[in-house]
Amino acid sequence: MNEFVNHHDPSLQLIIEKEFPDKRCVGGKYSAEEHTITLYNRDIEIQCERVLGSLERLEEYTWINP
């Protein structure tokens, strides 16, 4: 995923964290000020299970989440 981001915008930083530090289920966020995308793995898993019923298509879901 880092390769994809760097290929399209080398100044954009991708950060991957375990989970969102609040009670909301946030899969990812963009910070315009810092020009970063942060993905939250556990929250993406939860969303994938809720929407698709399993983690079978987690990789695809992760790409479309932010």
Side-chain angles (χ1 to χ4, degrees), residues 21-66:
D22 197 354
K23 294 181 182 188
R24 296 177 299 153
C25 187
V26 176
K29 67 178 184 175
Y30 172 71
S31 169
E33 185 176 305
E34 297 177 15
H35 198 47
T36 60
I37 294 174
T38 304
L39 299 180
Y40 300 98
N41 281 335
R42 180 62 189 132
D43 297 79
I44 292 171
E45 290 174 355
I46 291 168
Q47 291 176 5
C48 184
E49 286 180 315
R50 287 179 182 169
V51 172
L52 302 175
S54 75
L55 294 176
E56 190 173 313
R57 297 177 66 191
L58 179 61
E59 185 175 346
E60 293 170 79
Y61 188 82
T62 301
W63 277 97
I64 61 167
N65 185 61

Side-chain angles (χ1 to χ4, degrees), residues 7-18:
H7 176 73
H8 293 285
D9 186 349
S11 67
L12 180 65
Q13 183 181 5
L14 177 64
I15 301 167
I16 299 175
E17 296 187 3
K18 182 178 178 180

